[in-house]
Amino acid sequence: LLSKRGSLPLSACASTSPFSASSPHCTSCPSSLRRFFVNFPSAKQYFSQFKHMDDTLEMERSLQLRKHAQRVMGAINTVVENLNDPEKVSSVLALVGKAHALKHKVEPVYFKKLTGVLLEVISEAYGNDFTPEAHGAWTKMRTLIYTHVTAAYKEVGWAPYPNATL
C-alpha cells in the first residue's frame, strides 16, 4: 500500500492527513461532504438538519455536518488502522452498513459516490505526491468499503426506501 517513492502510505493518508477525524485541523472533512452534497444534491434528503441548505458555506459551517464528517473519517481511520485484522474491518463496515440500511434508509450507491469524492479531495490535496500507486491503494480501499457495506445491506434484506431519489 505504499507509493513508489515510499510516501503516502494508505495508513498515513488517513491518520496523519487533514482528513483525519482525530485531527483538530480536520478542515477538509466538511469540505469533502460539502462537495459530495454539491455533486449529489439528492444525498441531502437523508439529513434533516441540512437537507434544505443550498449555501455551500453554510453547509460547511454546520456543526451537524462537521460531526458527521468526523464520524465518516473516524470509520475510515479505523478501517485503515486495522487492515491486518479482516474481522475488525468487516465488523466496523457491517455496523456502518446496517445502520445506514435500517436506521437511515440510505441507498447503498451513495457509499460509492462519497468514497469517490473523498478520493478526488485526497488526490487534489496531495497533488503530485499522490502517485498512481497511492491512487491505486485508495481505489482498493474504496472498493473494500463499498463491498463490505453492500454485503451488510444484503445481510439485513435491504429493500430500497420508496421515497428515495438518486
Side-chain angles (χ1 to χ4, degrees):
L1 296 175
L2 289 173
S3 70
K4 191 176 214 171
R5 295 182 313 193
S7 63
L8 288 178
L10 187 60
S11 59
C13 292
S15 60
T16 63
S17 77
F19 303 96
S20 172
S22 60
S23 169
H25 307 291
C26 188
T27 57
S28 295
C29 297
S31 296
S32 299
L33 276 185
R34 179 184 50 114
R35 183 183 299 187
F36 172 65
F37 291 130
V38 167
N39 291 355
F40 305 102
S42 60
K44 290 192 302 182
Q45 69 184 312
Y46 301 107
F47 297 88
S48 61
Q49 61 272 45
F50 46 85
K51 72 179 176 182
H52 299 294
M53 286 183 192
D54 290 324
D55 179 354
T56 58
L57 292 176
E58 182 183 6
M59 270 190 257
E60 197 166 326
R61 288 189 296 254
S62 165
L63 181 60
Q64 293 86 0
L65 186 130
R66 287 180 171 282
K67 286 181 179 180
H68 188 71
Q70 289 178 340
R71 285 191 301 272
V72 169
M73 295 315 297
I76 291 173
N77 283 340
T78 299
V79 169
V80 169
E81 290 169 357
N82 290 283
L83 284 173
N84 292 325
D85 185 350
E87 288 181 27
K88 177 73 173 181
V89 169
S90 292
S91 173
V92 167
L93 294 174
L95 287 171
V96 169
K98 289 175 184 176
H100 283 77
L102 299 173
K103 182 178 179 185
H104 307 298
K105 311 290 188 211
V106 174
E107 294 286 336
V109 70
Y110 284 109
F111 283 91
K112 186 176 281 188
K113 292 175 179 185
L114 177 60
T115 57
V117 169
L118 289 171
L119 182 59
E120 286 174 16
V121 171
I122 292 168
S123 176
E124 290 168 11
Y126 283 96
N128 291 336
D129 289 333
F130 197 65
T131 64
E133 292 83 2
H135 189 277
W138 277 99
T139 299
K140 287 180 185 179
M141 171 63 103
R142 184 178 176 212
T143 301
L144 175 99
I145 291 169
Y146 186 71
T147 300
H148 281 275
V149 167
T150 55
Y153 272 71
K154 289 176 187 171
E155 185 181 321
V156 299
W158 169 253
Y161 193 61
N163 296 331
T165 57
L166 299 176

